[in-house]
Amino acid sequence: MITPPLTSPSEVVTNLVGALFVIPIIFGIFIKAPKLVIFGFIGVLFCFSDSTWGELQTSSNIYSRGVGMFYFSLLNLVLITAAVAALIKRLANPAGQPVAPQMNKYFLAFFFLMLGHVVVGLMSGIDLDVILGYGGMLNLLNMMLFMYLVIVAFESDKDVKLLLFTVIALAMARAIFGAIRYFVFDGDSANPYRNFEGLDIKIFFFDISDNYVAALAAFVAAWLLTTPTLRISLFWKVFLLGLLALEIAAVALSFRRSSLIGMALMFVFLFLNLPGRRKIFFAMLAAVALASVAGVFFEQRLQFNTSGGILESLIYDISPGRGGIKDGRFYELYAAAQSMEGHWLFGRGTWGTFYGDFGRLEYHGSNFGFVHSGFGHIVLKAGIVGLVLFVAFLGAFIRYYFKNRKYLTGTALLVADAGFAGFLFWIPTLLIGTPIIEFRTMLLFGFTIAMPFVGVAMQGYQYRRYVAAPQYAPTGQLDARPA
């Protein structure tokens, strides 16, 4: 979550000068070589944490630069600039391939919904910076913009393979950094379990986005190891097994239940798509990994929550013994629902808050402008209308993936599968986390949604280059065009 830092005069001048020089450069670079800008974003998103919750002393980070001076952070301004450049480039070539037309109506719907909130908010005397704050719905639009930019930037075989290589390299570098910090030093400084709850544990990564990066790399490694059509050397098998173990350890030692459940969903999806014989080997390997992860997870964190078993520990704050919805973890959602009277259709506005028992909501501090549920947050801000639009957007993504998967092979299939698996990872966070208010999280979610579109575009590129011109087609090329 981005909060405006206190900005000194020197920082104001630095940010202004930086914006005046960098933004036009970004515009020009995206027009000429869009993938360079997107690689820059991916480098930042994969390598820099956004979470400050759990730190004893909160400080600004790369995602909050410029917020004290502009309505948006500098990174957000770069994102908007790149999106404008992409639009101009598209208008200059209207005959080109359409960019994710299945999603356009949802982007326009959210844009006009946001515009309506701006109009109503200004008429109600709400400041524009509050209406457009990151605690509202702005990151839904940021997510969709980044999704479009990723789709536009990558199409050819070479570009997509470079994208996969970059994802693996950055995820491995990030995991090595986390491992050194965990095993040699004191782990992540953003550690609410130790700093706020007094639990004597270290954590690998607290930011859910770091867990996503690790889980995504683990999925890609497992996909490459188990796909029946790929033959890899012993060296690469050992490398991928090491990468898989490192990334699973990064998620397990972060002690985030939503991350573990999300990663489990990713690997269940991979298991279901394997042929029969490979399912047996994968199930045995997964059982060993699951037993190890569950044992470490229970010993290091969940032992502090209950004297029962692992299952009881996992649901210690939502179990029936907690007294029902009014007394368990979901009291926050209950309180938010009680605050929605008369606002169910369009929500309480991007600036809206809820109210409840301040004692039981002490962990919120003084900020009641969000709830621990992505879906619930959308209802709070944009009502049933916003929730229906978002669910329809996700439904369009799921339909697109399953409609086109049967046409994909090789790298295109890996990219698409990784995107859908990443979507499965985010489901627990959408249910019980706070993704909508987090800039980094929502851009990575947009990256996830874009990946199947990138895979299909790559297959289409191969079709146009090889099948449509068979005299240049190498042996074993495609014989079907994606729908």
Side-chain angles (χ1 to χ4, degrees):
M1 177 181 177
I2 297 176
T3 55
L6 295 176
T7 306
S8 66
S10 61
E11 288 178 318
V12 170
V13 174
T14 301
N15 289 335
L16 180 58
V17 172
L20 290 175
F21 278 95
V22 172
I23 289 177
I25 294 174
I26 294 296
F27 190 97
I29 293 176
F30 193 90
I31 292 289
K32 186 66 176 176
K35 63 178 175 290
L36 294 182
V37 177
I38 302 306
F39 274 131
F41 266 104
I42 291 173
V44 171
L45 294 171
F46 273 51
C47 296
F48 294 92
S49 175
D50 187 21
S51 178
T52 57
W53 171 252
E55 291 185 346
L56 293 176
Q57 292 184 339
T58 303
S59 59
S60 62
N61 56 41
I62 191 171
Y63 301 100
S64 62
R65 290 293 179 185
V67 176
M69 178 178 180
F70 306 107
Y71 284 132
F72 312 117
S73 69
L74 290 178
L75 268 179
N76 208 155
L77 289 174
V78 171
L79 176 69
I80 295 172
T81 301
V84 172
L87 178 60
I88 292 175
K89 187 175 181 179
R90 174 65 183 168
L91 293 175
N93 182 28
Q97 291 290 323
V99 181
Q102 301 83 355
M103 309 307 239
N104 292 345
K105 55 181 173 289
Y106 302 109
F107 173 77
L108 292 174
F110 272 111
F111 177 80
F112 284 111
L113 183 61
M114 186 74 179
L115 187 62
H117 280 256
V118 170
V119 172
V120 173
L122 291 176
M123 292 175 62
S124 303
I126 308 297
D127 292 336
L128 184 60
D129 62 331
V130 176
I131 300 172
L132 297 177
Y134 289 97
M137 298 189 301
L138 180 65
N139 283 329
L140 286 172
L141 294 178
N142 286 332
M143 175 266 293
M144 293 184 186
L145 288 179
F146 193 63
M147 175 195 73
Y148 282 118
L149 294 179
V150 172
I151 296 171
V152 168
F154 302 104
E155 181 186 49
S156 71
D157 307 39
K158 181 179 178 181
D159 289 346
V160 176
K161 289 176 180 177
L162 182 58
L163 172 64
L164 282 174
F165 175 80
T166 302
V167 166
I168 292 175
L170 291 177
M172 183 174 65
R174 183 67 176 164
I176 291 173
F177 163 77
I180 294 173
R181 187 175 58 176
Y182 181 86
F183 291 107
V184 179
F185 300 101
D186 210 24
D188 196 341
S189 60
N191 186 349
Y193 312 125
R194 180 179 58 199
N195 296 337
F196 297 161
E197 300 177 25
L199 307 182
D200 185 22
I201 58 175
K202 296 190 295 183
I203 60 175
F204 214 97
F205 295 123
F206 181 73
D207 194 328
I208 193 70
S209 294
D210 283 320
N211 286 253
Y212 164 76
V213 169
L216 181 65
F219 178 87
V220 171
W223 194 99
L224 292 171
L225 285 167
T226 57
T227 184
T229 59
L230 183 65
R231 298 292 181 266
I232 55 178
S233 67
L234 178 61
F235 170 81
W236 285 111
K237 284 183 180 179
V238 173
F239 171 80
L240 290 172
L241 283 170
L243 177 66
L244 179 62
L246 175 63
E247 302 297 356
I248 290 177
V251 176
L253 295 175
S254 295
F255 305 114
R256 301 292 302 269
R257 287 175 294 174
S258 56
S259 299
L260 280 175
I261 295 171
M263 188 171 66
L265 292 175
M266 296 174 77
F267 283 95
V268 168
F269 165 72
L270 178 60
F271 172 78
L272 293 176
N273 283 292
L274 290 176
R277 292 181 178 179
R278 288 182 178 260
K279 282 184 178 180
I280 299 174
F281 171 75
F282 183 84
M284 294 173 60
L285 187 64
V288 173
L290 179 62
S292 302
V293 169
V296 171
F297 198 80
F298 179 77
E299 179 184 357
Q300 294 295 319
R301 180 191 169 189
L302 297 182
Q303 62 168 322
F304 297 105
N305 301 124
T306 180
S307 58
I310 292 179
L311 179 60
E312 182 182 346
S313 300
L314 283 170
I315 60 172
Y316 71 94
D317 52 353
I318 60 175
S319 61
R322 299 284 294 185
I325 193 171
K326 296 183 181 181
D327 298 299
R329 177 185 176 95
F330 296 125
Y331 168 74
E332 177 187 27
L333 296 179
Y334 172 80
Q338 294 297 106
S339 307
M340 291 297 294
E341 185 176 356
H343 299 276
W344 280 105
L345 188 59
F346 292 106
R348 299 188 64 89
T350 59
W351 60 91
T353 59
F354 72 100
Y355 51 85
D357 186 330
F358 286 179
R360 282 187 281 184
L361 297 171
E362 183 180 5
Y363 57 90
H364 262 266
S366 58
N367 184 0
F368 291 89
F370 71 95
V371 294
H372 283 78
S373 169
F375 296 116
H377 182 84
I378 293 174
V379 173
L380 176 66
K381 301 295 183 174
I384 299 299
V385 170
L387 179 63
V388 169
L389 287 175
F390 186 63
V391 171
F393 170 82
L394 298 181
F397 162 77
I398 295 171
R399 288 193 302 273
Y400 182 85
Y401 168 76
F402 283 107
K403 178 183 177 182
N404 288 280
R405 186 183 189 275
K406 57 182 175 287
Y407 299 109
L408 303 178
T409 59
T411 304
L413 179 59
L414 170 55
V415 172
D417 281 353
F420 188 77
F423 164 71
L424 294 176
F425 174 90
W426 288 119
I427 288 177
T429 302
L430 285 170
L431 291 172
I432 62 172
T434 58
I436 309 298
I437 62 175
E438 298 168 0
F439 180 81
R440 183 192 187 198
T441 296
M442 291 307 289
L443 260 61
L444 287 173
F445 186 72
F447 176 74
T448 293
I449 298 297
M451 291 179 79
F453 291 90
V454 171
V456 172
M458 175 187 173
Q459 196 91 321
Y461 174 86
Q462 292 175 326
Y463 178 89
R464 293 189 300 273
R465 183 176 179 182
Y466 299 125
V467 178
Q471 64 270 27
Y472 302 111
T475 303
Q477 262 302 338
L478 309 178
D479 57 3
R481 184 176 183 176

